[in-house]
């Protein structure tokens, strides 16, 4: 589904991704871990089309198509979804209105008729239940005045509504209490299918108890430096990153 | 004071003598004095501090004249009933009341709405007309005062609540280069309330010049909501001055919404002349092309324990220019004043520009005042967020712009008017996409 080859990206003069390789197959869940500032969010941003980052080398294909040529909205319409590490507040735009527009834009690109108000409401109720979100949230402005945890839950709610084929979750578990963590994981698991893939960026092995990954990768200094199965996450939890950093930095010299 | 004399086109005062035949002697004297003052002040030039960014030179280059005949039909006006049909309606065609198209008969007891010229002997007119908007330092107020005749008079008696909105509908055009000097006076007596909509329209693309002055007087505990809606074409010069005097415990809400015009200058002065007064000043200007919208506001806190809250927002596209000059005076006696002011602008193009200048002059020590002015582009992060959910770039821009503007429009209590304005802004922003 997703093939990232030798991807390098920078912001201004700063190299952040330096020859990153990653393949995500259909139906797979990949976890990405790694120290602060290693480039995880940058990868997520590049995949969703944020233009602050300049791709200097490498390629990304999504279902065989060159992803880097597409605008953010085209990527979204083709099924890519990014749950933001820091969701943006948009005063004056209600959650419901925003989601309805987004959903119908995506439907339009697929040649589907827009959902009418009633069907939209039914769908929204169903998904709200899934992430145990309060009804009042949908009439509030997007993320405005939401608590940290509410913002994250709202990201998962949007994901559930838009039913993407490739979801990238950037630290969606940070700032969540134990119950919210379980709810968010339920939201993800409900979407899991042989057709849908996930890239889950996290600092905590704990999340992976709920969302069990097929692969775990370590991103360090803009590269995937180690890959394994979910056992790798336990090892990282226990030992930290120093041993990996040492391995990598030693190999370089 | 600054008396930079500009060139004075002869057409501006050509109609003075004719106009001054009508009315009581005292009014004739006021007109004369105003004319004399205007001749001293002249049309302001950009050398004048208060007119730095607003160049009225185009007014001196072509000739404008009053329109003589009514040619407007009912079906044209229907489109401009932006507050719905259930209103007390005065239609002014090129500044002059068109009685046939208006409906202000059979008003409830205690409510007077009509032509100013028909009410010169009304005690409230005698007492208030030209007593609030000083022309001493305001050339364009002087020019208007020299021509007082056309315009609306609204009077709401003590304890009376006017349920129906009062709509003053100004429409110009039908011929080129029309000139109008409307003068409005509203007096809301003790414990009364009313909502007034003052809207301005063009028939086609004809050029016009309107120099309007409105005086609003709120007696104790009166409550008035005033919506000034400018929807004229891009060949309109609109120079307006609104002067509101508030007595104790009164509440005044004013919305100044500008969606059209070539050169628009709105002076808004509010004098808070009593305790426990509330004044809410809201403004929204959406401009494009090479238009200029200049809002000059002055909130004068003369007495203690009052609140003023001012929010002006602008969306500037094309080569348009915006000016916001917001003065707040807090005088020595005005302790416990709360005065807030905010001006926020979005520049939609590289060639649009904005000049914002807040001016606070505070002479009392126990006050809460704040002001802020920002000018920038649409929030890039928010744009990316919307696009990352599948919403196209242009639609995302419109989304954010409308949300920005709705913040002001949502303060208008009349639902019909609010929805109509939202529709118009929607149409306009989506059309330019
Ligand atoms: N717009 C930017 N301008 C300058 N530097 C940036 C910008 N965006 C990211 N960086 C830098 O790039 C590096 C990688 O940032 P990124 O956000 O991808 O890290 P991360 O792995 O997600 O970290 P964390 O675990 O703390 O979220 C950091 O050093 C960061 O400061
Ligand atoms: Mg990050």
């Amino acid at each position: 589904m997703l093939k990232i080859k030798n991807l390098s990206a920078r912001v201004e003069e700063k190299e952040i991704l330096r020859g990153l390789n990653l393949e995500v197959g259909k139906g797979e869940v990949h976890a990405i871990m790694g120290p602060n500032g290693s480039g995880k969010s940058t990868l997520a941003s590049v995949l969703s089309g944020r233009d602050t980052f300049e791709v200097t080398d490498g390629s990304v294909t999504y279902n065989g198509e060159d992803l880097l040529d597409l605008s953010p909205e085209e990527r979204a319409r083709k099924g890519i979804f990014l749950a933001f590490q820091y969701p943006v507040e948009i005063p004056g735009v209600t959650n419901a209105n925003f989601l309805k527009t987004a959903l119908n834009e995506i439907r339009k690109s697929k040649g589907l008729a827009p959902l009418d108000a009633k069907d939209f409401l039914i769908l929204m109720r169903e998904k709200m239940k899934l992430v145990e979100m309060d009804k009042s949230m949908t009439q509030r402005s997007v993320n405005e005045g939401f608590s940290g945890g509410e913002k994250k839950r709202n990201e998962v709610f949007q994901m559930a509504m838009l039913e993407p084929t490739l979801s990238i979750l950037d630290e969606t578990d940070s700032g969540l209490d134990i119950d919210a963590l379980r709810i968010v994981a339920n939201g993800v698991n409900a979407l899991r299918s042989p057709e849908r893939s996930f890239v889950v960026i996290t600092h905590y092995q704990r999340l992976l108890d709920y969302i069990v990954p097929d692969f775990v990768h370590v991103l360090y200094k803009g590269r995937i430096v180690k890959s394994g199965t979910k056992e790798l996450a336990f090892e990282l939890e226990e030992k930290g990153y120093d041993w990996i950093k040492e391995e990598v930095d030693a190999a370089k010299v | 004071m600054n008396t930079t004399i500009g060139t004075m086109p002869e057409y501006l005062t050509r109609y003075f003598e004719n106009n001054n035949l009508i009315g009581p002697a005292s009014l004739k004297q006021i007109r004369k004095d105003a004319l004399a003052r205007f001749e001293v002040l002249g049309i302001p030039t950009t050398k004048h501090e208060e007119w730095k960014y607003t160049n009225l030179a185009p007014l001196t280059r072509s000739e404008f004249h009053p329109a003589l005949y009514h040619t407007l039909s009912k079906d044209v006006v229907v489109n401009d009933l932006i507050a719905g049909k259930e209103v007390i309606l005065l239609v002014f065609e090129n500044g002059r009341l068109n009685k046939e198209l208006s409906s202000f008969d059979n008003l409830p007891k205690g409510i007077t709405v009509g032509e100013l010229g028909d009410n010169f002997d009304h005690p409230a007119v005698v007492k208030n007309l030209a007593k609030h908007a000083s022309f001493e330092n305001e050339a364009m107020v002087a020019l208007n005062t020299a021509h007082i005749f056309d315009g609306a008079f609204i009077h709401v008696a003590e304890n009376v609540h006017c349920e129906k909105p009062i709509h003053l509908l100004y429409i110009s055009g039908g011929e080129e280069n029309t000139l109008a000097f409307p003068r409005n006076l509203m007096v809301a007596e003790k414990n009364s309330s009313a909502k007034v909509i003052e809207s301005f329209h063009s028939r086609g693309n004809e050029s016009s010049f309107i120099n309007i002055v409105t005086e609003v007087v709120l007696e104790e505990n009166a409550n008035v909501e005033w919506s000034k809606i400018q929807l004229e074409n891009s060949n309109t010069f609109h120079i307006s001055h609104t002067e509101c005097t508030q007595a104790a415990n009164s509440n005044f809400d004013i919305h100044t919404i500008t969606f059209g015009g070539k050169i628009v200058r709105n002076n808004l002065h509010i004098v808070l002349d009593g305790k426990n007064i509330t004044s809410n000043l809201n403004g929204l200007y959406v401009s494009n092309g090479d238009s200029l919208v200049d809002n000059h506001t002055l909130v004068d806190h003369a007495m203690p324990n009052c609140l003023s809250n001012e929010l002006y927002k602008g969306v500037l596209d094309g080569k348009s220019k915006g000016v916001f000059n917001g003065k707040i005076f807090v005088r020595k006696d005005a302790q416990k004043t709360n005065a807030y002011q905010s001006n926020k602008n979005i520049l939609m193009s590289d060639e649009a520009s904005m000049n914002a200048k807040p001016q606070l002059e505070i002479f009392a020590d126990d006050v809460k005042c704040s002001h802020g002015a920002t000018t920038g582009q649409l929030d890039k992060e928010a744009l990316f967020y919307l696009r990352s959910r599948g919403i196209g770039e242009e639609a995302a821009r419109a989304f954010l712009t409308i949300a920005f503007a709705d913040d002001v429009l949502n303060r208008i209590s009349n639902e019909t008017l609010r929805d109509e304005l939202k529709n118009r802004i929607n149409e306009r922003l989506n059309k330019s996409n």
Side-chain angles (χ1 to χ4, degrees), chain A residues 34-52:
Chain A
N36 292 134
S38 57
K40 303 180 298 296
S41 293
T42 303
L43 174 63
S45 291
V46 169
L47 292 179
S48 54
R50 191 194 289 269
D51 65 5
T52 33

Side-chain angles (χ1 to χ4, degrees), chain A residues 11-12 14 16 34-43 52-53 85-86 170-171 201 203:
Chain A
V11 57
E12 280 140 26
K14 188 173 174 185
I16 302 174
N36 292 134
S38 57
K40 303 180 298 296
S41 293
T42 303
L43 174 63
T52 33
F53 300 98
Q85 182 174 1
Y86 304 109
D170 191 357
E171 292 196 29
I201 297 169
H203 285 294

Side-chain angles (χ1 to χ4, degrees), chain A residues 48-50 72-73 76-77 81-82 84 90-93 98 101-102 105-106 143 155 158, chain B residues 379-395 399-400 403-404 406:
Chain A
S48 54
R50 191 194 289 269
E73 56 269 32
R77 291 169 193 166
F81 180 92
L82 168 63
F84 286 66
I90 310 183
V93 177
F98 157 59
T101 309
E105 289 267 356
I106 292 172
N143 294 324
E155 295 292 289
Q158 291 174 37
Chain B
D379 180 355
K380 282 209 174 84
E381 289 297 309
L383 265 180
F384 176 66
Y385 192 82
L386 293 171
R387 293 177 71 191
S388 79
R389 299 298 183 246
I391 299 172
E393 183 173 5
E394 293 309 320
F399 232 115
L400 294 180
F404 177 81
D406 279 357

Side-chain angles (χ1 to χ4, degrees), chain B residues 1 23 78 126 139 174 176 238 250 255 303 347 431:
Chain B
M1 70 139 289
V78 163
V126 174
E176 284 296 333
H238 187 130
S250 64
H255 319 286
M303 301 284 271
L347 302 180
K431 196 161 62 192

Side-chain angles (χ1 to χ4, degrees), chain B residues 14 73 101 105 114 140 145 209 274 366:
Chain B
R14 186 184 294 162
S73 66
L101 300 183
D105 300 330
M140 302 312 279
T145 305
F209 171 26
D366 185 13

